[in-house]
mmCIF file of all heavy atoms in Angstrom:
data_model
loop_
_atom_site.group_PDB
_atom_site.id
_atom_site.type_symbol
_atom_site.label_atom_id
_atom_site.label_comp_id
_atom_site.label_asym_id
_atom_site.label_seq_id
_atom_site.Cartn_x
_atom_site.Cartn_y
_atom_site.Cartn_z
ATOM 1 N N LEU Q 232 113.249 174.676 34.361
ATOM 2 C CA LEU Q 232 112.237 173.746 34.859
ATOM 3 C C LEU Q 232 110.949 174.463 35.248
ATOM 4 O O LEU Q 232 109.844 174.007 34.946
ATOM 5 C CB LEU Q 232 112.778 172.967 36.063
ATOM 6 C CG LEU Q 232 113.742 171.823 35.747
ATOM 7 C CD1 LEU Q 232 114.369 171.290 37.032
ATOM 8 C CD2 LEU Q 232 113.018 170.695 35.010
ATOM 9 N N LEU Q 233 111.087 175.597 35.916
ATOM 10 C CA LEU Q 233 109.901 176.340 36.352
ATOM 11 C C LEU Q 233 109.149 176.930 35.167
ATOM 12 O O LEU Q 233 107.907 176.934 35.140
ATOM 13 C CB LEU Q 233 110.310 177.442 37.330
ATOM 14 C CG LEU Q 233 110.918 176.949 38.650
ATOM 15 C CD1 LEU Q 233 111.356 178.131 39.515
ATOM 16 C CD2 LEU Q 233 109.936 176.075 39.409
ATOM 17 N N GLN Q 234 109.883 177.397 34.178
ATOM 18 C CA GLN Q 234 109.240 177.940 32.982
ATOM 19 C C GLN Q 234 108.576 176.813 32.183
ATOM 20 O O GLN Q 234 107.482 176.981 31.629
ATOM 21 C CB GLN Q 234 110.259 178.680 32.120
ATOM 22 C CG GLN Q 234 109.611 179.432 30.957
ATOM 23 C CD GLN Q 234 110.625 180.258 30.177
ATOM 24 O OE1 GLN Q 234 111.791 180.363 30.552
ATOM 25 N NE2 GLN Q 234 110.175 180.836 29.074
ATOM 26 N N PHE Q 235 109.249 175.653 32.159
ATOM 27 C CA PHE Q 235 108.689 174.490 31.475
ATOM 28 C C PHE Q 235 107.334 174.113 32.077
ATOM 29 O O PHE Q 235 106.354 173.892 31.352
ATOM 30 C CB PHE Q 235 109.665 173.317 31.575
ATOM 31 C CG PHE Q 235 109.045 171.971 31.316
ATOM 32 C CD1 PHE Q 235 108.654 171.601 30.046
ATOM 33 C CD2 PHE Q 235 108.858 171.068 32.362
ATOM 34 C CE1 PHE Q 235 108.073 170.364 29.809
ATOM 35 C CE2 PHE Q 235 108.286 169.830 32.134
ATOM 36 C CZ PHE Q 235 107.894 169.475 30.853
ATOM 37 N N ILE Q 236 107.247 174.055 33.413
ATOM 38 C CA ILE Q 236 105.997 173.714 34.083
ATOM 39 C C ILE Q 236 104.899 174.723 33.746
ATOM 40 O O ILE Q 236 103.739 174.374 33.551
ATOM 41 C CB ILE Q 236 106.215 173.648 35.610
ATOM 42 C CG1 ILE Q 236 106.816 172.301 35.977
ATOM 43 C CG2 ILE Q 236 104.919 173.829 36.380
ATOM 44 C CD1 ILE Q 236 105.881 171.131 35.720
ATOM 45 N N GLU Q 237 105.281 175.974 33.651
ATOM 46 C CA GLU Q 237 104.299 177.020 33.387
ATOM 47 C C GLU Q 237 103.750 176.944 31.972
ATOM 48 O O GLU Q 237 102.571 177.207 31.727
ATOM 49 C CB GLU Q 237 104.943 178.389 33.632
ATOM 50 C CG GLU Q 237 103.982 179.553 33.531
ATOM 51 C CD GLU Q 237 104.632 180.875 33.883
ATOM 52 O OE1 GLU Q 237 105.622 180.875 34.631
ATOM 53 O OE2 GLU Q 237 104.149 181.912 33.398
ATOM 54 N N GLU Q 238 104.610 176.575 31.028
ATOM 55 C CA GLU Q 238 104.217 176.631 29.614
ATOM 56 C C GLU Q 238 103.789 175.291 29.018
ATOM 57 O O GLU Q 238 102.976 175.263 28.090
ATOM 58 C CB GLU Q 238 105.384 177.184 28.778
ATOM 59 C CG GLU Q 238 105.740 178.621 29.102
ATOM 60 C CD GLU Q 238 106.848 179.154 28.202
ATOM 61 O OE1 GLU Q 238 107.282 178.396 27.300
ATOM 62 O OE2 GLU Q 238 107.267 180.304 28.392
ATOM 63 N N ALA Q 239 104.308 174.178 29.557
ATOM 64 C CA ALA Q 239 104.156 172.890 28.874
ATOM 65 C C ALA Q 239 102.728 172.362 28.904
ATOM 66 O O ALA Q 239 102.372 171.463 28.136
ATOM 67 C CB ALA Q 239 105.091 171.855 29.486
ATOM 68 N N MET Q 240 101.889 172.878 29.812
ATOM 69 C CA MET Q 240 100.505 172.394 29.897
ATOM 70 C C MET Q 240 99.563 173.125 28.948
ATOM 71 O O MET Q 240 98.422 172.708 28.769
ATOM 72 C CB MET Q 240 99.995 172.548 31.333
ATOM 73 C CG MET Q 240 100.691 171.639 32.322
ATOM 74 S SD MET Q 240 100.056 171.842 34.006
ATOM 75 C CE MET Q 240 100.758 173.433 34.436
ATOM 76 N N THR Q 241 100.024 174.207 28.336
ATOM 77 C CA THR Q 241 99.140 175.002 27.474
ATOM 78 C C THR Q 241 99.781 175.268 26.123
ATOM 79 O O THR Q 241 99.651 176.349 25.570
ATOM 80 C CB THR Q 241 98.793 176.338 28.154
ATOM 81 O OG1 THR Q 241 100.010 177.031 28.485
ATOM 82 C CG2 THR Q 241 97.990 176.099 29.427
ATOM 83 N N LEU Q 242 100.476 174.275 25.601
ATOM 84 C CA LEU Q 242 101.147 174.443 24.311
ATOM 85 C C LEU Q 242 100.136 174.579 23.186
ATOM 86 O O LEU Q 242 99.168 173.834 23.107
ATOM 87 C CB LEU Q 242 102.036 173.232 24.023
ATOM 88 C CG LEU Q 242 103.273 173.035 24.901
ATOM 89 C CD1 LEU Q 242 103.924 171.701 24.574
ATOM 90 C CD2 LEU Q 242 104.261 174.169 24.704
ATOM 91 N N LYS Q 243 100.340 175.564 22.333
ATOM 92 C CA LYS Q 243 99.497 175.700 21.140
ATOM 93 C C LYS Q 243 99.975 174.753 20.047
ATOM 94 O O LYS Q 243 99.185 174.168 19.321
ATOM 95 C CB LYS Q 243 99.531 177.142 20.638
ATOM 96 C CG LYS Q 243 99.020 178.160 21.652
ATOM 97 C CD LYS Q 243 97.587 177.897 22.062
ATOM 98 C CE LYS Q 243 97.085 178.944 23.046
ATOM 99 N NZ LYS Q 243 95.749 178.619 23.565
ATOM 100 N N GLU Q 244 101.300 174.622 19.939
ATOM 101 C CA GLU Q 244 101.890 173.742 18.942
ATOM 102 C C GLU Q 244 103.059 172.996 19.566
ATOM 103 O O GLU Q 244 103.712 173.498 20.491
ATOM 104 C CB GLU Q 244 102.376 174.549 17.727
ATOM 105 C CG GLU Q 244 101.250 175.252 16.974
ATOM 106 C CD GLU Q 244 101.765 175.961 15.741
ATOM 107 O OE1 GLU Q 244 102.816 175.546 15.219
ATOM 108 O OE2 GLU Q 244 101.125 176.930 15.312
ATOM 109 N N ILE Q 245 103.347 171.807 19.052
ATOM 110 C CA ILE Q 245 104.418 170.991 19.616
ATOM 111 C C ILE Q 245 105.772 171.679 19.510
ATOM 112 O O ILE Q 245 106.609 171.546 20.401
ATOM 113 C CB ILE Q 245 104.454 169.612 18.927
ATOM 114 C CG1 ILE Q 245 103.235 168.806 19.347
ATOM 115 C CG2 ILE Q 245 105.721 168.848 19.274
ATOM 116 C CD1 ILE Q 245 103.152 167.436 18.741
#
Side-chain angles (χ1 to χ4, degrees):
L232 283 171
L233 296 177
Q234 188 175 354
F235 161 71
I236 279 294
E237 186 176 335
E238 295 183 3
M240 293 180 287
T241 56
L242 292 173
K243 300 300 182 186
E244 296 183 25
I245 290 180

